[in-house]
Amino acid sequence: MASPSNWRDVRARTRAADPEWDSAARTAHRAELRGRMLASVSGAQLAEIRGQLGMTQAQLAEATGLSQARISQIENGSATGLDVLRSYITGLGGQLDIVARIGNIQLNIA
């Protein structure tokens, strides 16, 4: 059995096998994939909350003024604007807070 590797060794082997690993394009692509994954997880969590509240997508669509298809897109992780997300959260009876953190400064945006 191989001994465990530390992160520095893993990175060095990755760079040796693929010198383009740290290129700007590859880094941007990984960031995009990470963002899509997080949106998908967040969408699934929103769907779970909606279900726990006993609401259907159609009921939430009526409460928000969004289409049922748009509710489905949000819950499946499609990119949404803050205005759409705010409508979704408000339709669930919640409030969307946006906070900017810069160093040790915290600023409530909306």
Side-chain angles (χ1 to χ4, degrees):
M1 180 190 279
S3 63
S5 299
N6 68 38
W7 181 242
R8 199 171 289 138
D9 293 341
V10 171
R11 286 182 66 152
R13 282 194 304 258
T14 300
R15 286 184 180 124
D18 184 359
E20 295 297 313
W21 178 256
D22 287 333
S23 71
R26 295 278 296 274
T27 301
H29 180 69
R30 286 192 302 274
E32 179 185 338
L33 292 175
R34 187 177 307 112
R36 279 195 244 160
M37 180 190 67
L38 291 174
S40 179
V41 169
S42 296
Q45 289 173 328
L46 288 171
E48 178 68 25
I49 292 167
R50 178 186 50 74
Q52 288 175 358
L53 293 172
M55 294 182 80
T56 65
Q57 285 184 346
Q59 290 169 325
L60 183 56
E62 187 175 323
T64 61
L66 300 171
S67 68
Q68 183 274 326
R70 190 63 174 145
I71 298 296
S72 178
Q73 289 172 342
I74 293 166
E75 293 179 355
N76 285 306
S78 294
T80 60
L82 288 176
D83 55 334
V84 173
L85 189 55
R86 184 185 314 274
S87 294
Y88 184 102
I89 299 298
T90 301
L92 292 176
Q95 176 181 329
L96 179 64
D97 296 325
I98 302 171
V99 178
R101 290 185 180 87
I102 305 162
N104 62 356
I105 300 169
Q106 180 172 312
L107 177 63
N108 292 327
I109 303 295

